[in-house]
Amino acid sequence: MGTAKEGRWDQSLAKAYSRLDCLTRECVERGKQEEPSMEALLFSRLTRVYLEEEDVRVRQKLKRKSSQRISRVMHERVGEFLLERLPGFSFQVQDGLLFVKKEEQLVGVLKCIPDLGSYDTPSWNATIARFIKQYQKRYKLAPEQLLFVVCSLAKSLDAAHAKALTGVDVWSGTALTAPAYRDALQAYICKCVEVMDAIPKPREQLYFLSADIHPNALAAQLLLGEQGNMPDRWLQPSVSDMIHFLESRL
């Protein structure tokens, strides 16, 4: 990278981090009454993971971001985030999983999923079942030990499935993320979780953050100098619920 080009990149990166910090503060302040600050702070950290990875890609002149590195760093950051809120717990990242322990006893194993991508809502159960089968074989983990955090539902919602479960009629899954369907979307997510049988207690083992905004997409917007926005609402069950759940495990 040439000196002038490197200087422009450093400037773009610094502005992106600064704008992300501003968006995070605004989001935390806006939601203080409902205590969603934990969700905003975690989403911000996940967005920083993508900013950092893009910096690595540009400086090393790579064609694409490393999904393996993103997964490892994402789980490390989630562990750091939880450690600040769960004193006495320990967190270890191994092979794309975050092992959570207290006093050397395994409390849970967390899988952070950036998005469900091509896994539309009707196939969530099968997707989670595949993960469980994989980790049972590799680590001898029981289904009740696994927790899942989905960062964004971008591109994974299914309109026909939503109508079948809740009666809400929309022309596309993306339309479900519009403000007018806010309550309907949450009702749909709750229904999807309720009917899952891949995990014993889905409402205590599957957590969400954003309905539509993806941390990678937000990072890209910020690097381009665009306004960008943090999610203006958080899906349930969410990170706050997960922290309470982990606290209650021992």
Side-chain angles (χ1 to χ4, degrees):
M1 188 186 292
T3 304
K5 190 174 181 181
E6 187 173 349
R8 289 194 296 272
W9 172 249
D10 287 342
Q11 191 174 45
S12 296
L13 195 62
K15 287 181 178 178
Y17 281 124
S18 177
R19 177 60 182 153
L20 177 60
D21 289 340
C22 288
L23 288 173
T24 306
R25 284 195 298 271
E26 291 169 4
C27 194
V28 170
E29 287 297 320
R30 188 170 63 241
K32 267 187 174 178
Q33 293 180 345
E34 299 175 5
E35 299 184 24
S37 56
M38 282 194 285
E39 281 74 16
L41 292 170
L42 179 58
F43 195 88
S44 178
R45 292 197 190 192
L46 296 175
T47 303
R48 291 181 76 92
V49 172
Y50 285 98
L51 287 173
E52 292 165 5
E53 180 58 28
E54 181 63 8
D55 188 32
V56 171
R57 188 195 69 77
V58 169
R59 295 187 191 280
Q60 295 185 6
K61 299 180 180 179
L62 304 174
K63 289 185 178 181
R64 57 182 63 87
K65 299 183 182 79
S66 167
S67 58
Q68 284 189 332
R69 185 163 48 235
I70 287 172
S71 176
R72 175 179 56 78
V73 176
M74 182 175 286
H75 284 84
E76 288 173 354
R77 298 296 166 78
V78 173
E80 293 165 4
F81 176 85
L82 292 175
L83 182 60
E84 294 169 7
R85 290 152 182 84
L86 292 168
F89 284 68
S90 64
F91 301 87
Q92 179 185 359
V93 178
Q94 184 176 344
D95 297 334
L97 293 171
L98 182 65
F99 288 76
V100 184
K101 294 182 179 180
K102 187 171 185 182
E103 299 173 356
E104 298 305 312
Q105 183 175 340
L106 187 65
V107 177
V109 180
L110 189 149
K111 174 69 176 175
C112 190
I113 305 172
D115 60 79
L116 288 165
S118 58
Y119 304 117
D120 59 10
T121 340
S123 64
W124 283 2
N125 193 55
T127 302
I128 296 298
R130 281 196 298 272
F131 278 124
I132 288 175
K133 185 177 181 180
Q134 177 184 346
Y135 300 134
Q136 279 182 313
K137 183 177 181 180
R138 185 183 301 177
Y139 298 109
K140 311 301 181 188
L141 296 173
E144 59 268 18
Q145 292 177 302
L146 283 157
L147 309 176
F148 298 89
V149 176
V150 180
C151 303
S152 173
L153 296 186
K155 301 179 181 179
S156 67
L157 297 168
D158 185 272
H161 194 237
K163 185 175 182 179
L165 285 186
T166 65
V168 177
D169 194 2
V170 291
W171 64 275
S172 74
T174 303
L176 280 166
T177 64
Y181 292 102
R182 182 168 302 188
D183 292 340
L185 174 60
Q186 182 61 69
Y188 176 42
I189 299 305
C190 289
K191 290 283 187 182
C192 289
V193 173
E194 284 173 8
V195 298
M196 292 183 70
D197 59 10
I199 40 182
K201 297 181 178 180
R203 278 198 58 82
E204 296 177 345
Q205 292 180 258
L206 182 59
Y207 300 89
F208 303 92
L209 281 172
S210 169
D212 51 352
I213 299 175
H214 195 293
N216 186 31
L218 177 57
Q221 286 180 310
L222 296 175
L223 285 169
L224 289 171
E226 298 176 0
Q227 174 86 10
N229 289 293
M230 291 279 283
D232 64 354
R233 67 195 189 282
W234 307 102
L235 294 167
Q236 300 296 327
S238 193
V239 177
S240 302
D241 304 292
M242 182 178 70
I243 290 172
H244 295 319
F245 175 69
L246 289 172
E247 286 176 321
S248 71
R249 294 280 281 181
L250 288 178

